[in-house]
Structure formats: C-alpha cells, structure tokens
Amino acid sequence: MNVRAYGRFFVVLRQFLPLILAYLRDRRRFVVFGGRRRVTSEMRTERARILLDSLLTLGPTFIKLGQILSTRPDVLPGEYVAELSKLQDEVPPAEWDEARQVIEAEFGSAETAFDSFETDAISGASLGQVYRAEFEGEAVAVKVRRPGIVDLVEADLKVVKWSLPLVIRFIGEARSFSLETLAEEFDKTIHQELDYAREARMLQEIKGNFADNDEVRIPEVVEERSTSRVLTMEYVSGTKITAVDELDAMGVDRTALAERLERVYLQMIVDDGVFHADPHPGNLAVEPDGTLVFYDFGMSGRVDPYIQDKIIEFYMGIANQDIDAILDALVEMGTLSPEADRETMGNVMELAIQDVRGEEVEQYRVQEVVSQVEDTIYEFPLRLPANLALVLRVATVVEGVCVTLSPKFDFISVATDYLVEQGYREEGVRQFLEGRSEEVQDLARAAVRTPPKMERLLDRLDREDIVLHTDIEDTDNLLDTLANRLIFGVLLAVGVLSTTFLYATTDLIATGVAAAFSLVVAFYLARSFRRSTPVADTAPEFTRQGLSQPPGRQGNEQDGQSGIEAMAQTGSDIADDADAESIAIERESDDSKR
C-alpha cells in the first residue's frame, strides 16, 4: 500500500506543481526573494480552472474531494468554489467484465442471481456504477462498487494526509482549522460511501421517517441482493428536478416543489437527525404527479440533538432578524470564534440576510462592510467544524436547486413557517421568558445589596484609601519584542563604537572580532523587525452570491486585529469586586503599619 501511495504522491505533486509555484510566487515574486505579488480575481479564476482539470485527471478520490471543496467557502475563495461546483459525480463507467467480477464474487453469475441484467451501465459515478436489471419480476437498479477502488482511495488518502502540513504553511490559522476538519470529514465520508451495507441502512431509516408522506418516494432496498459491495434497490424513474421545461410540460408547480424539497430537508435535519447529504440535481427526480424522488444515499449523515437545537436557534434568529441571537448560535455551534468582532460580523449577517431574502442591497453599505472585513481579514473568525460540514453542503445545494425551480423562492420564509408549525418558535419564547424571570429575580436581589456596597466604596475613595492594581495583557508579546529591540539597539551602538575605536587604536584581529559581534547583533535586530504574514488568496465570501460583486480591494489584503467586545457587568458585580478589593487594600495597609 505504501509503495502505491508513494507513487501517487509524485503523480499528485506533478499535477499540482504549477499551482504550488504560483502560490510561492505570491509570497515572494521570484520564489526565494522579492516582494509579494498582487493576486487579482482573474488570476484566481484561472488557477481554479487549473485545479479543476487536475482533480479530474487524478480520478475518483480527487473528484470527490473537489465536490466537498466546492461547498466550503471557509476554505477556498469564491472563484474556486464557483469553478469546482461544476464538478459532477459522473465518470465513464468501468468495463462490464470488471463489474461482473464483483457481482460473481458476491452472488455467482449475474444471469443466475437476477432474472435479467443489462450490461450497459445507466450511470457511472466516481466510486460505483449503476445497472438496470430484473429480480423476481420487478425492475431493480443494481449499484456495483468499482473494482480496485478501495486500494486507490486508501493510497490517495495517505497522499492527502502527507500533503496537509505543507498546505497549512501557506494559509491563515482560521482556514487551517477548517482545512483540518475538511480532511477528517473527507476521510470519514469516502469510507462511508464505499460501504454499501451502511448506505442500505441509512436509506431504510430515512425511508421509514417518511413512511406517511405520500409526496416523497425513496426506493426500497432488495436485501437478498445487497452486500457491502453491491446494493440492489427498487428501480424508480423520474424527471430530473432541474429540467424545468419538462416539469412545466408535466404541469408541476415548481414553487410548491421547491417548498416541499426544503421542508423535507428541514424535517431530516431538525426533527429526524438523519439526512440525505448529496442533494445535487442528479440525485433528485420528480414523478408526473409531483412526487419527489431521492436517489443515492451513499453520502448521508446524522445531527446530534445539541446541534439540532442550535440550528433551530440560528433559523429563528434569522426569522426575527435578531443578529445577536444568530451570532450566539454560531459561537455555540463552534462556527464562529468567541473572540470575533461582533460589530463587523453583525454587519456581514445583515447583508447576508438581505441577500438571501432577495432584497436590494445598497452598494455603499456593501463597500463599508467589505472595508471592515478587509481590516481584520487574517483574523476572520468563520470556521466549519466537521459535524456541520455535511449540513452546510446540504443547505447550499438545496438552496441552489430551489432557486433554479423558482428564482424568487424565499428560503427563510419557508424555514420560518416550518419552525412555527412545529412549535419551535413558541418553545423558544417560553424558554426566553423563563430565563428572563430568573434574571429579574437576580436584579431584585442586586438592587438591595448594591447601595450599601457602593457607599463603602465611595467612603474609601473619599479617604484616598484605594490603590488600583492593573495587569497589562500582552498576548502578542509586544513588550518583550520592544525590550529585545532596545537591548539589541544598545548592543549594536556599543559594537559600532568599539569597532571604530579598535580600528583606530589596535590591531585588525580585535577590530574583526568587534565587527563580527556588531554584525550578529545587527542581524538579530533586523530579524526582530521582520513580521511573517501568511499568504491569503482572497477574502472569504460572506454572502450567497457575492452581494452583487461589491467593490473593494482585490489581491493581497492587509493584516489586522479582530476586536474583542468588552463584557458588561451588573452594578452588583461591580460593587462586589470593588468591596473585595477595598478589604484587601485595607489589610495591606494594616500590615504595613504593623
């Protein structure tokens, strides 16, 4: 396995070498020296096309990787996401003789295992291919795993693992977090997709959750002809969900269909906790009566109850346009850093909500927010934990399908109506009121305790008996850096003066020693002024469609600091802290007198 992985590593390296050199030149124009290059949107688009071609050339594993990357705006710039979204999970099927070997290893010959079997694949995906057959008089679809795909995937996963530390060197901290979670997600997801027995279990569980819904159809699994390498299902035909002309000819209400699709996914994620995670148009079809058909459950996932609750809070925050509630939900899900600049992120969220609702976004407002984001770009706090990656993929792709069906489709309104119908808004209000009642009780108790404590504090101030102790937080070691520069500067001055004096009064050996000392000190002083900055290809995309291409600087962004919002304290807490401080000071005063 390692021998094959080493070989694949050099194949992958050769494919990605032009992009690697381009990124190195962004850091230093001539690779080993020179300033940083300005990266334009056109340059990023061209690189994205090169990356797309490379992924297609490298085969099934990297096609899957590209598909996942196309839904990760927290990892790649918008130009890359747009280009990689063109990747379809379709590759030429393997020869029938190779697929036949898999079927024969599981059931014997295809002719005896099935009533009939068509040897021309009806679809070819990166990890498997589907054939049409008959079993016990019923039409079935037989999904066969590609021969030798497991060994290829394992070798490619090793290459990805070896390459990850190298890639992280060229990106910022926030994106390195997302890239690491993406690698974990990709490893887990592709192994799950290779296991057709797991796919059958997930399919049956999701099918059971919609057993009473006549508007949704999920194929039945034929267990007698299903294993970990072969999955046989009921054959269900339908019209591709994005074939709008055919849907119109069938008389299907496309707006109602889009609403049904969103509601189905809300039920999966918010209520059931298990969901179909690959809703691209090739896996969704429509029957003549408007019934929604789902195919291919290889990519599916689960949502734990805690994340479900936070997703509900997030949607309710959007419905109520409560920016603080949205940001709180993102922080609690691990998607937003607790130290994020809430003012900047709040402005971003306001624009994003306007965009998703289809409202007109004022251009000057976009420019203002883009400027704020650029000022803190290297501390941009968005990231995507592994447990939310598939949920984001689903939300992104489903929204795209819904907008294709109905260009003015309001994703937020449908989500809000669904949550209200299920009683989530009322439950949120009840919990809010319960929390506020506790706060009112705490406030009443504080109102009684605070005045006497404040009076004691003011008495101490009047007697000038208060000493304020201050700790300076230096998380960036700024004071140490300044101290080092001061010391090096003094040493350099002494060295230069010594060199000059020795050159005028003594031999050259002593002068050379003093000069060497001065050069070493000068080197360390110069190095202390160097500031390493990661190369960022572009600012993150923070709205669905670029907010009508807002103006702003392109290319290399400026380094910045993300603000930390000061935490407000109640009057009681202030008084408690001040009272404790005054007691400590009084004790110190007594000790000094003694």
Side-chain angles (χ1 to χ4, degrees), residues 448-502:
V448 175
R449 295 196 308 263
T450 299
K453 293 178 179 179
M454 289 296 294
E455 185 177 0
R456 289 196 296 270
L457 175 61
L458 292 173
D459 287 341
R460 306 238 185 267
L461 287 172
D462 188 51
R463 296 197 304 266
E464 299 182 357
D465 196 19
I466 291 291
V467 178
L468 182 63
H469 296 279
T470 304
D471 292 328
I472 298 176
E473 185 178 354
D474 185 22
T475 56
D476 295 329
N477 295 322
L478 181 60
L479 294 179
D480 287 344
T481 302
L482 292 175
N484 287 337
R485 290 175 183 173
L486 180 60
I487 293 170
F488 286 138
V490 171
L491 290 176
L492 180 60
V494 171
V496 171
L497 290 173
S498 299
T499 302
T500 305
F501 177 77
L502 292 173

Side-chain angles (χ1 to χ4, degrees), residues 125-143:
S126 56
L127 303 181
Q129 50 212 37
V130 181
Y131 298 87
R132 184 171 179 176
E134 286 191 6
F135 178 73
E136 296 183 350
E138 299 290 336
V140 294
V142 184
K143 187 177 180 180

Side-chain angles (χ1 to χ4, degrees), residues 449-458 460 466 571-587:
R449 295 196 308 263
T450 299
K453 293 178 179 179
M454 289 296 294
E455 185 177 0
R456 289 196 296 270
L457 175 61
L458 292 173
R460 306 238 185 267
I466 291 291
S572 176
D573 292 335
I574 295 173
D576 285 338
D577 292 343
D579 197 35
E581 180 71 14
S582 65
I583 292 171
I585 294 169
E586 189 175 44
R587 288 176 179 171

Side-chain angles (χ1 to χ4, degrees), residues 132-397:
R132 184 171 179 176
E134 286 191 6
F135 178 73
E136 296 183 350
E138 299 290 336
V140 294
V142 184
K143 187 177 180 180
V144 183
R145 196 168 74 189
R146 282 180 176 270
I149 191 65
V150 174
D151 290 341
L152 177 61
V153 166
E154 292 297 342
D156 286 342
L157 287 176
K158 286 185 179 294
V159 173
V160 172
K161 183 178 179 181
W162 294 339
S163 305
L164 190 62
L166 299 176
V167 176
I168 287 177
R169 290 178 59 88
F170 296 97
I171 61 179
E173 182 179 351
R175 287 189 182 177
S176 66
F177 173 88
S178 293
L179 194 62
E180 289 171 347
T181 61
L182 182 143
E184 295 172 6
E185 171 210 346
F186 178 59
D187 187 296
K188 179 180 178 181
T189 299
I190 200 165
H191 278 109
Q192 289 176 345
E193 286 199 66
L194 288 169
D195 184 1
Y196 288 177
R198 176 190 179 275
E199 180 178 347
R201 293 193 300 270
M202 298 294 282
L203 185 155
Q204 290 173 317
E205 183 176 353
I206 296 174
K207 181 179 176 63
N209 292 333
F210 290 92
D212 299 328
N213 191 336
D214 296 333
E215 296 180 326
V216 175
R217 186 170 182 184
I218 297 173
E220 191 74 51
V221 174
V222 180
E223 296 184 6
E224 299 92 325
R225 291 295 179 267
S226 297
T227 67
S228 62
R229 294 199 294 170
V230 178
L231 176 60
T232 304
M233 301 163 287
E234 170 191 12
Y235 181 83
V236 181
S237 61
T239 302
K240 189 175 181 179
I241 195 168
T242 52
V244 293
D245 292 337
E246 296 181 38
L247 294 178
D248 289 340
M250 292 162 53
V252 174
D253 185 338
R254 288 192 275 120
T255 300
L257 179 63
E259 181 175 339
R260 186 180 314 134
L261 176 64
E262 183 182 349
R263 284 175 169 270
V264 166
Y265 272 99
L266 284 170
Q267 177 184 329
M268 290 183 192
I269 294 171
V270 173
D271 292 331
D272 302 334
V274 56
F275 61 98
H276 176 268
D278 196 14
H280 72 74
N283 289 336
L284 300 170
V286 184
E287 293 186 323
D289 62 355
T291 300
L292 191 58
V293 182
F294 289 82
Y295 304 124
D296 192 355
F297 288 76
M299 188 179 292
S300 51
R302 296 186 182 276
V303 188
D304 63 67
Y306 177 81
I307 295 298
Q308 285 179 303
D309 291 341
K310 297 309 165 187
I311 290 173
I312 292 170
E313 291 177 12
F314 175 75
Y315 273 120
M316 294 312 302
I318 292 177
N320 299 327
Q321 297 193 31
D322 185 343
I323 301 301
D324 285 333
I326 295 172
L327 297 180
D328 289 342
L330 291 174
V331 169
E332 290 168 1
M333 283 191 288
T335 305
L336 183 66
S337 169
E339 298 183 350
D341 184 334
R342 290 179 71 96
E343 181 182 358
T344 298
M345 293 308 302
N347 291 332
V348 169
M349 290 301 166
E350 286 179 2
L351 289 184
I353 291 172
Q354 277 185 269
D355 184 55
V356 172
R357 285 189 177 278
E359 300 174 4
E360 184 177 350
V361 181
E362 296 176 338
Q363 197 68 22
Y364 81 91
R365 179 70 173 142
V366 174
Q367 189 169 3
E368 180 182 272
V369 173
V370 168
S371 178
Q372 285 181 322
V373 172
E374 286 177 341
D375 288 342
T376 59
I377 194 65
Y378 291 114
E379 301 294 334
F380 206 72
L382 290 178
R383 53 198 184 185
L384 192 60
N387 60 351
L388 285 174
L390 284 180
V391 175
L392 176 68
R393 172 184 172 83
V394 166
T396 303
V397 179

Side-chain angles (χ1 to χ4, degrees), residues 384-441:
L384 192 60
N387 60 351
L388 285 174
L390 284 180
V391 175
L392 176 68
R393 172 184 172 83
V394 166
T396 303
V397 179
V398 168
E399 184 193 6
V401 173
C402 289
V403 171
T404 300
L405 290 170
S406 178
K408 296 184 178 180
F409 184 73
D410 192 338
F411 199 85
I412 294 177
S413 294
V414 174
T416 303
D417 292 344
Y418 178 86
L419 295 175
V420 170
E421 291 169 12
Q422 300 301 315
Y424 289 115
R425 171 172 277 182
E426 289 76 5
E427 178 65 17
V429 170
R430 184 184 64 79
Q431 293 176 356
F432 175 81
L433 292 176
E434 289 178 355
R436 298 296 81 76
S437 65
E438 294 177 0
E439 291 179 6
V440 169
Q441 294 175 11

